[in-house]
Amino acid sequence: MADDDAPRQFEIDLPPEEIAGHYADFANVWHTPTVFVMDFLTLAQPPHDAVDAETGEHRTIVPARVVSRIRIPPEQVFELAKALTQQLEFWEQETGRRPASGPLLGD
């Protein structure tokens, strides 16, 4: 019988085709009542300016491609946020750098 308080040791299998991973320039996060979805995207082409034909509004179009979509239950979002914060703190200590502030693709 499993003890719910016992520490867990995960045995993680990484398929060979996933070892290199996927580079992403940014992520888009959205949710439904039962799942959080993280789409990791890479730029497909340089951003370019465009004018909306109906409104005349100027915008910057950022062509991007989803390289990976991850779905997680809402309960895991808190654990993911803690893990990301912890790893960011380790990264800052190791490199002496701080992440860039502000949008990477402009306003």
Side-chain angles (χ1 to χ4, degrees):
M1 187 185 304
D3 180 357
D4 288 341
D5 294 331
R8 292 183 182 177
Q9 178 178 333
F10 290 94
E11 292 183 4
I12 299 171
D13 176 43
L14 182 61
E17 65 273 12
E18 293 295 330
I19 289 173
H22 301 279
Y23 179 81
D25 291 296
F26 57 99
N28 182 45
V29 180
W30 52 280
H31 69 277
T32 70
T34 58
V35 70
F36 274 71
V37 179
M38 295 173 288
D39 287 331
F40 292 88
L41 303 108
T42 187
L43 295 177
Q45 298 174 6
H48 61 276
D49 293 329
V51 177
D52 185 291
E54 292 182 23
T55 65
E57 180 181 68
H58 290 264
R59 25 183 101 160
T60 300
I61 305 298
V62 183
R65 176 177 300 257
V66 173
V67 295
S68 186
R69 173 172 280 181
I70 307 297
R71 298 171 182 269
I72 61 173
E75 299 81 12
Q76 287 299 308
V77 173
F78 300 102
E79 295 302 317
L80 177 60
K82 283 192 273 185
L84 286 170
T85 298
Q86 182 182 46
Q87 289 301 312
L88 182 57
E89 289 171 359
F90 291 159
W91 177 82
E92 288 176 330
Q93 291 170 5
E94 291 170 8
T95 65
R97 294 173 31 200
R98 295 200 53 87
S101 60
L104 296 177
L105 299 175
D107 291 343

